[in-house]
Amino acid sequence: MRTVLATIFLLSFFAACSAVLALFTLEAQPSDYALAAILSGLSAAVFVGSKWWMIRFGRIGYLKPRLFKKRLTPQQHKALLAQSAAALASEALSAKMQAQNNQTPRLGFDLRLEMSKLKELGINRPDRSSDELLSEKLLIRFIDQKNADRSAPPKKLLRDVRDKREFLRLRAKVDDWYVARSHRAEAFEAWEAEIGHQDQSHLLKEGWIAFLKTLPGPDIHLWHGIATDFHNMSDDRLDAAFWIVEQQACDRTTASEFIMGFLQAYLDLGASDPKGENRTRAPDPQLRRFLPVVRRYNDGFYKAQSLPANLHAVVLLTDAEADRILTKYEHATGLRQLERPRGIVKVGDQPTHASDRGYKSPYDFYDEAGLHLKYPGPDWRQAG
């Protein structure tokens, strides 16, 4: 339709120009003046009407209505469409994983969700126009989400923007997010300065199990980190992991991911042990301790599930993948009839018990930080 309007405008414009030029001839008649005025008015009306049509029906997004502009090639249009869909899918998947891990979704998904509600961008339509795609691209550039320096907004990008309100609103949303992040960082630094240091490894002088037994109750979140992070798993911490999964209060998710981690770290041929040496089989004492864990898991020993799957970096397995590892291990070692875990907790399985079940200690663990004090949050002064 834009091509039709552009053609009509060009014809009326050239006709008006011809009529005006005719006025400069010696034989110009009053009727010529009237014709020039009519054709000029018609050309202006076509031009204004075309702009109105493009704004009302042309699906030009947030761009200014222009009859003549360089169009996207089919390849460029397809590339922008795929890029937009991939970005939305990526942010949605990331947000889903974070929600399952009880984490706040990142700013990126929040922005994409708001953008999907803007009818001018047409994100939910399968037949998006080139101008809608270009508007989205321009909006993302103006928001400049990944740039922490918010002092100089790229206002030159607004030259071709017809309606700047959403651009400025979403830019301000990102600005506010960075301000809040700065405040959170300042609060963390103040807390860290107050406590001196987070490291609590001095509490492990008597070993992991001795430390865990000093806690007033089972901290299922701390237990989960200790028992499921198999990177650089020391013998002492492996003993502690076995001790954890022997407790009735151990979370079902912790037991599930301990089983998966042990299968990969100690039974899967070609996996590396904490010392970096290739294992061909797990030491007999460890295997003898591991098999009862699988049996207890299958028998429903672990009654409560308060934690979502994949809180740490353990690679989740399906029942079939677990069976493959055990079958391969049986063939390599000559062992037979090792019990298979059934009903491994998967991403998306909803916890059936409250997340605050048990004792809540001030400690946390993951491999890079070791045993450390858990940051209570930006309101730590009130929490303390």
Side-chain angles (χ1 to χ4, degrees):
M1 183 63 182
R2 186 182 295 184
T3 302
V4 173
L5 292 173
T7 302
I8 294 174
F9 169 71
L10 284 174
L11 292 174
S12 63
F13 178 75
F14 287 135
C17 288
S18 300
V20 171
L21 289 174
L23 298 179
F24 294 94
T25 64
L26 295 177
E27 297 83 9
Q29 302 295 318
S31 59
D32 295 330
Y33 287 96
L35 180 62
I38 292 172
L39 290 176
S40 297
L42 177 63
S43 179
V46 170
F47 182 76
V48 173
S50 299
K51 294 293 185 85
W52 174 86
W53 184 92
M54 282 191 289
I55 293 173
R56 183 69 177 83
F57 303 108
R59 291 171 54 186
I60 60 174
Y62 287 102
L63 303 183
K64 292 179 179 178
R66 290 183 176 175
L67 278 174
F68 308 102
K69 61 181 296 186
K70 187 177 180 180
R71 306 291 180 84
L72 291 176
T73 65
Q75 292 79 9
Q76 291 172 328
H77 186 279
K78 186 177 180 180
L80 278 181
L81 194 62
Q83 181 180 341
S84 174
L88 181 59
S90 175
E91 293 292 353
L93 179 60
S94 175
K96 181 180 179 181
M97 294 290 291
Q98 288 170 321
Q100 290 166 347
N101 295 343
N102 293 331
Q103 299 173 347
T104 303
R106 294 184 305 180
L107 175 66
F109 176 72
D110 196 12
L111 287 174
R112 288 280 172 182
L113 191 61
E114 290 208 35
M115 289 167 58
S116 69
K117 298 175 182 177
L118 301 176
K119 64 179 182 179
E120 288 82 358
L121 298 182
I123 289 177
N124 296 321
R125 281 197 294 266
D127 59 335
R128 298 178 66 189
S129 71
S130 294
D131 283 349
E132 289 170 340
L133 290 168
L134 289 172
S135 293
E136 180 186 356
K137 182 178 179 180
L138 191 61
L139 176 57
I140 291 171
R141 287 181 61 196
F142 181 75
I143 290 172
D144 204 9
Q145 171 196 338
K146 295 182 179 179
N147 185 4
D149 182 4
R150 315 302 295 175
S151 59
K155 292 185 177 180
K156 63 181 181 180
L157 296 177
L158 298 178
R159 287 179 300 187
D160 292 330
V161 176
R162 170 176 49 87
D163 185 351
K164 303 175 176 61
R165 288 173 296 178
E166 290 299 332
F167 280 63
L168 296 172
R169 183 181 70 83
L170 292 178
R171 170 91 188 184
K173 185 181 182 71
V174 178
D175 293 345
D176 293 343
W177 184 86
Y178 274 101
V179 170
R181 189 182 75 163
S182 176
H183 290 165
R184 290 193 301 270
E186 291 171 0
F188 176 77
E189 290 171 3
W191 172 76
E192 199 169 36
E194 180 79 14
I195 65 170
H197 58 85
Q198 288 184 266
D199 180 57
Q200 298 293 300
S201 56
H202 63 278
L203 298 176
L204 303 175
K205 290 181 179 178
E206 301 299 324
W208 271 103
I209 294 178
F211 161 70
L212 292 173
K213 288 182 176 180
T214 66
L215 299 179
D219 183 343
I220 60 171
H221 297 273
L222 176 62
W223 282 11
H224 188 84
I226 296 168
T228 62
D229 191 336
F230 276 82
H231 183 250
N232 288 336
M233 175 79 86
S234 65
D235 292 338
D236 182 45
R237 186 157 64 83
L238 182 60
D239 287 340
F242 274 117
W243 180 87
I244 288 169
V245 295
E246 289 165 0
Q247 309 305 309
Q248 182 78 53
C250 176
D251 198 84
R252 178 175 169 80
T253 300
T254 301
S256 175
E257 297 193 5
F258 170 79
I259 291 171
M260 285 184 276
F262 190 91
L263 287 175
Q264 294 169 86
Y266 291 95
L267 299 191
D268 194 10
L269 302 185
S272 294
D273 68 6
K275 297 179 180 179
E277 300 169 354
N278 290 328
R279 289 185 179 275
T280 56
R281 59 178 297 171
D284 289 341
Q286 294 176 359
L287 186 62
R288 284 197 298 269
R289 297 186 73 181
F290 173 71
L291 295 178
V293 178
V294 177
R295 191 172 305 114
R296 287 195 298 271
Y297 186 84
N298 291 342
D299 291 344
F301 175 80
Y302 307 100
K303 303 295 185 184
Q305 182 186 349
S306 299
L307 306 177
N310 207 25
L311 284 172
H312 287 272
V314 63
V315 177
L316 301 185
L317 301 175
T318 62
D319 290 356
E321 290 167 335
D323 180 70
R324 176 191 63 77
I325 292 175
L326 285 164
T327 300
K328 190 175 180 181
Y329 185 78
E330 289 171 342
H331 290 165
T333 60
L335 297 173
R336 291 292 182 270
Q337 302 303 320
L338 298 180
E339 188 166 0
R340 271 53 172 166
R342 298 189 301 273
I344 284 175
V345 177
K346 301 181 293 295
V347 170
D349 290 351
Q350 294 302 313
T352 55
H353 293 71
S355 62
D356 58 354
R357 175 176 62 88
Y359 171 68
K360 204 169 185 180
S361 77
Y363 308 110
D364 200 0
F365 173 84
Y366 57 89
D367 175 60
E368 292 83 355
L371 181 68
H372 60 280
L373 287 173
K374 186 190 307 179
Y375 177 50
D379 298 324
W380 61 271
R381 289 186 176 89
Q382 289 82 352

